[in-house]
Amino acid sequence: MINIPLMNNNIIKEDVDALIDFLKTTDRFTQGPKVQEFEDQWSEWLGVKHSVFVNSGASANFITMSVIRDLYGIGEIIVPPIAWSSDISSVFAAGHTPVFVDVNMNNLAMNDDTILDHITPKTKAVFLTHVLGFNGLTKKLVDELQKRNIPLIEDVCESHGASFNGKKCGSFGLASNFSFYYAHHMSTIEGGIICTDDDRFYEYCRLYRSHGMIRESTDEDMKKAVCSEYPQLRPEFLFVVPGYNMRSTELNAVIGINQLKRLDKNNSIREKNFELFLKNLDSSKYYTDFCTTGSVNYAFVILLRNQDPELFQKLTNKLLDNAVEFRRGTAGGGNLARQPFVLKQLTDFDPSTLKNAEFIHQYGLYTGNYPDLSEDKILALCNLLNSI
Ligand SMILES: Cc1ncc(COP(=O)(O)O)c(C=O)c1O
């Protein structure tokens, strides 16, 4: 019995101690100075101007797609089939139409040429997910989107610390989203963050996070302009955009501040683990040609080399027998275009046209990769996989 849970020890005693110390000294519990401090530290770590801490990665997705609507209008958003449900539901919720583009096998991200082929005059943004720690960007994509004036939104919820061309993923697009759910590279228990260099985008994110209220803006000119446009409404209760309450708390921010201190160190262990895993995997049975440059994987991606339903069944049985926790289909359970909430809206779309996403859906899964996973366990996992 190998016994590898998906995640282990992501909230440690040090985090709990920091939280207890904070609770003994504060009388402010919801969004306040600690949230601001975490946002400032995160912006510095990522290399962006602004961050907005929210209560989940899905909320970050929702706000981002809403702000795209408010600033650029309703239209088509290019999305991946290998991502998370909220990458698509946020697009629908904001009134846009998702346009699916198939992914590469070597980084599980949308193919750059296919993205560029799908851009139309209706395209409002490309919403790219960096999947399970792999960088999903190419120079061609970044340059072409800039040239064509199409906003790039990066979902980095699964790839904290991944980089492209020496810069962190999440610092290339108009905005980016991260999740701090327990199972990710770092955690605030629940939580998410939106990052941007764009002042206007930032102000809108702040409004959306807090019911759509103008008083949440840090831009005094913006506040004055809106208040004078609606003199009959009270500035404390002037709801400019259709927001919700997606705030987080001081408690979650304290955990985030403490976790950020060890993120880089933990990530370098994850990188070594992933290398060891790939090196010892039988490449005749499993796909091992991943592009690992700049990647920081919190999961071991296991993809069959060839279509083989019998082998896949044996694989899942073996993992279950050995208490190795796994998720089939990789991120988001595989081809999201197959999900009922998508097909109910895109009634003419055939999800089987997304060939690589379909393969990953049928013959892919992932297991956990975290700092306290021992070398012995990684090698035992490889031996188990190779023996099937
Ligand atoms: C790519 C991606 N986007 C968004 C989310 C949503 O994040 P959360 O679980 O914090 O809502 C996830 C969740 O795991 C994810 O993997």
Side-chain angles (χ1 to χ4, degrees):
M1 179 88 67
I2 301 177
N3 193 9
I4 305 180
L6 264 194
M7 179 54 72
N8 201 31
N9 265 342
N10 211 9
I11 307 275
I12 61 173
K13 187 171 176 302
E14 229 177 87
D15 301 318
V16 176
D17 288 344
L19 187 56
I20 292 169
D21 289 346
F22 172 74
L23 284 169
K24 283 181 184 159
T25 55
T26 192
D27 57 2
R28 168 118 196 179
F29 299 96
T30 191
Q31 187 184 295
K34 284 291 170 193
V35 166
Q36 184 66 55
E37 189 182 327
F38 179 46
E39 290 173 341
D40 292 344
Q41 289 187 7
W42 186 262
S43 296
E44 200 186 322
W45 175 83
L46 184 62
V48 295
K49 198 167 167 191
H50 305 291
S51 293
V52 178
F53 186 39
V54 290
N55 56 6
S56 72
S59 296
N61 294 154
F62 176 86
I63 291 177
T64 301
M65 284 301 116
S66 303
V67 178
I68 287 287
R69 174 193 59 211
D70 292 357
L71 299 184
Y72 297 87
I74 290 178
E76 293 174 354
I77 308 286
I78 295 181
V79 294
I82 301 293
W84 187 253
S85 59
S86 54
D87 290 298
I88 315 303
S89 54
S90 61
V91 170
F92 283 127
H96 306 294
T97 305
V99 173
F100 283 96
V101 158
D102 204 4
V103 296
N104 305 309
M105 294 298 268
N106 67 356
N107 63 357
L108 310 180
M110 285 187 285
N111 178 269
D112 53 2
D113 285 325
T114 323
I115 292 177
L116 297 172
D117 285 349
H118 280 72
I119 289 176
T120 72
K122 292 186 195 158
T123 306
K124 297 296 176 191
V126 171
F127 197 2
L128 181 139
T129 297
H130 299 280
V131 178
L132 293 177
F134 294 111
N135 158 53
L137 295 174
T138 63
K139 183 166 174 354
K140 182 177 185 181
L141 180 67
V142 173
D143 289 351
E144 273 297 313
L145 293 181
Q146 210 164 27
K147 208 164 92 192
R148 300 187 197 189
N149 231 353
I150 304 285
L152 167 69
I153 305 295
E154 296 172 81
D155 184 323
V156 205
C157 287
E158 303 177 357
S159 301
H160 314 54
S163 62
F164 168 60
N165 263 355
K167 250 179 81 176
K168 288 200 177 86
C169 295
S171 64
F172 286 88
L174 170 66
S176 60
N177 300 157
F178 289 81
S179 161
F180 301 121
Y181 175 61
Y182 177 77
H184 292 161
H185 295 70
M186 68 166 261
S187 179
T188 58
I189 306 175
E190 297 280 358
I193 206 159
I194 309 158
C195 310
T196 183
D197 284 328
D198 186 286
D199 295 341
R200 206 154 66 114
F201 203 98
Y202 168 65
E203 297 300 337
Y204 269 73
C205 290
R206 289 185 62 93
L207 304 190
Y208 268 102
R209 172 174 66 177
S210 279
H211 306 285
M213 293 191 290
I214 192 63
R215 71 168 134 110
E216 284 295 315
S217 173
T218 62
D219 178 342
E220 291 308 319
D221 293 340
M222 179 183 179
K223 258 193 233 176
K224 259 189 220 145
V226 172
C227 292
S228 60
E229 200 181 337
Y230 301 98
Q232 75 283 18
L233 294 173
R234 298 178 178 97
E236 323 86 274
F237 295 112
L238 210 169
F239 302 95
V240 225
V241 293
Y244 289 91
N245 180 352
M246 292 181 171
R247 291 187 297 257
S248 190
T249 73
E250 293 290 89
L251 283 59
N252 301 83
V254 165
I255 298 175
I257 290 166
N258 212 55
Q259 289 246 338
L260 185 52
K261 290 181 199 157
R262 60 176 190 275
L263 176 61
D264 291 337
K265 197 171 124 229
N266 283 350
N267 277 350
S268 50
I269 303 172
R270 287 188 169 100
E271 282 172 48
K272 278 195 202 117
N273 287 352
F274 195 71
E275 249 172 60
L276 183 72
F277 172 75
L278 275 189
K279 209 173 94 191
N280 285 282
L281 205 56
D282 180 345
S283 60
S284 67
K285 284 186 182 144
Y286 302 101
Y287 184 90
T288 51
D289 311 325
F290 294 107
C291 176
T292 52
T293 311
S295 80
V296 182
N297 305 79
Y298 74 90
F300 295 142
V301 184
I302 303 170
L303 271 181
L304 296 195
R305 179 62 76 180
N306 302 304
Q307 288 192 10
D308 189 340
E310 224 174 281
L311 179 62
F312 195 72
Q313 188 60 50
K314 278 189 200 158
L315 164 67
T316 53
N317 290 344
K318 276 270 181 192
L319 293 175
L320 284 171
D321 289 348
N322 282 277
V324 178
E325 210 179 341
F326 61 89
R327 291 286 182 271
R328 274 177 292 187
T330 73
N335 188 356
L336 283 168
R338 280 177 169 267
Q339 294 292 345
F341 83 95
V342 175
L343 290 176
K344 273 180 197 156
Q345 305 218 42
L346 302 185
T347 45
D348 291 336
F349 187 71
D350 177 4
S352 69
T353 55
L354 302 163
K355 297 287 178 214
N356 285 349
E358 281 288 283
F359 185 90
I360 294 161
H361 188 100
Q362 303 288 357
Y363 304 112
L365 56 79
Y366 74 85
T367 64
N369 169 21
Y370 36 86
D372 66 3
L373 191 59
S374 70
E375 210 177 294
D376 287 351
K377 283 214 178 191
I378 297 170
L379 293 175
L381 175 63
C382 291
N383 286 338
L384 179 80
L385 295 171
N386 296 343
S387 71
I388 301 169

